[in-house]
Amino acid sequence: MIITINFIFDTDFEFLNMPDISQIIIIGKRILDFEFRMKMAGISESKIIKIDSPAQLKDHLLLETGSYVEIIYGIYQAENYKKIYNEVIKKLTGDLP
């Protein structure tokens, strides 16, 4: 089986290099590839946060009044998306310890 990551380099990550984006949290098998691509797009390393599991979101997700959360995921990550979405909702509603 050949695994290709060409899509990462064909995708516009430069749009994430905006001053109003305070953090980008990445998770998954391609975490280092995404981090590399984001650095190529000029995104500051201080904005890039790598985590191992959706459960770690509560420790890293910064939410302030007026915060906007965008979840971007690969087409084969639907199950992980649901876990991440649920963790974000818990954080927003204060249901986390």
Side-chain angles (χ1 to χ4, degrees):
M1 173 192 240
I2 297 174
I3 298 175
T4 180
I5 60 166
N6 291 348
F7 71 94
I8 292 174
F9 299 95
D10 292 338
T11 304
D12 177 16
F13 279 77
E14 285 70 16
F15 82 96
L16 295 171
N17 190 12
M18 305 291 272
D20 57 335
I21 295 178
S22 59
Q23 67 177 176
I24 301 169
I25 300 174
I26 52 178
I27 183 174
K29 294 177 183 177
R30 305 256 61 100
I31 196 168
L32 296 176
D33 298 319
F34 280 104
E35 177 187 34
F36 178 73
R37 178 62 181 93
M38 288 179 191
K39 288 179 181 177
M40 283 182 60
I43 298 167
S44 170
E45 194 169 343
S46 65
K47 289 185 178 186
I48 302 170
I49 300 162
K50 300 176 289 196
I51 61 174
D52 297 319
S53 73
Q56 291 178 308
L57 274 174
K58 66 181 178 291
D59 300 324
H60 299 282
L61 186 61
L62 302 175
L63 295 175
E64 300 170 357
T65 302
S67 290
Y68 180 79
V69 175
E70 181 74 39
I71 302 172
I72 304 170
Y73 62 97
I75 60 173
Y76 302 111
Q77 298 298 319
E79 287 304 313
N80 280 334
Y81 164 76
K82 290 176 188 173
K83 291 176 189 172
I84 291 168
Y85 176 82
N86 288 333
E87 290 296 322
V88 170
I89 294 301
K90 286 179 189 176
K91 177 96 178 193
L92 287 170
T93 59
D95 289 342
L96 289 174

